Amino acid sequence: MINKQQARKVRHYRIRSKIMGTSERPRLNIFKSNNSFYAQIIDDTASNTIIGVSTLTFKDLASKSNIDAATKLGETIANLAIKKKIKKVVFDRGGYLYHGKVKAFAEAARSAGLEF
């Protein structure tokens, strides 16, 4: 019997076997918990995190784990990436389904200037 977390891990391993971030096109990875939402831009060839942001840094949000927080996080990470001259990324949804918070995050990052 597989629970939801184990099924997500299996999906994430399957996704990660197909995508990899390079220095020209790093990987935009997300993780969501019950309380907050995290995003990182990672260069897998050099094994380092270029940018890491979470909703824990936002003080003005009532909830740090809803769609509004994910949208604000998408805009924030896109602006930070553009400042570091990163325009194209590979989107790693972390095994989560593409709807709700994940979709809001991705659309906000795209509208702020990231290409994926």
Side-chain angles (χ1 to χ4, degrees):
M1 202 64 152
I2 295 178
N3 62 19
K4 284 173 73 172
Q5 290 82 13
Q6 290 169 336
R8 185 193 74 81
K9 290 233 182 221
V10 168
R11 282 192 306 269
H12 192 207
Y13 289 136
R14 188 171 57 238
I15 292 167
R16 284 288 291 126
S17 69
K18 298 173 188 169
I19 66 171
M20 183 174 170
T22 62
S23 58
E24 295 84 29
R25 194 170 176 144
R27 177 170 55 101
L28 174 59
N29 183 33
I30 61 167
F31 175 76
K32 60 180 188 170
S33 68
N34 289 336
N35 299 324
S36 55
F37 199 86
Y38 304 87
Q40 295 179 337
I41 294 182
I42 304 167
D43 179 7
D44 290 320
T45 56
S47 298
N48 69 348
T49 301
I50 300 167
I51 301 169
V53 183
S54 73
T55 55
L56 296 173
T57 59
F58 302 139
K59 302 293 182 196
D60 58 340
L61 293 176
S63 174
K64 298 189 183 340
S65 65
N66 60 7
I67 290 178
D68 295 332
T71 303
K72 187 169 181 182
L73 186 69
E75 294 168 356
T76 303
I77 199 157
N79 292 332
L80 291 173
I82 289 172
K83 286 181 186 175
K84 290 204 174 209
K85 297 186 171 120
I86 300 171
K87 299 229 183 237
K88 293 185 177 185
V89 294
V90 178
F91 186 55
D92 177 10
R93 58 187 172 89
Y96 301 107
L97 300 178
Y98 189 80
H99 71 94
K101 296 177 213 174
V102 176
K103 184 176 180 181
F105 171 82
E107 289 176 353
R110 279 191 192 108
S111 67
L114 277 182
E115 295 178 24
F116 56 90

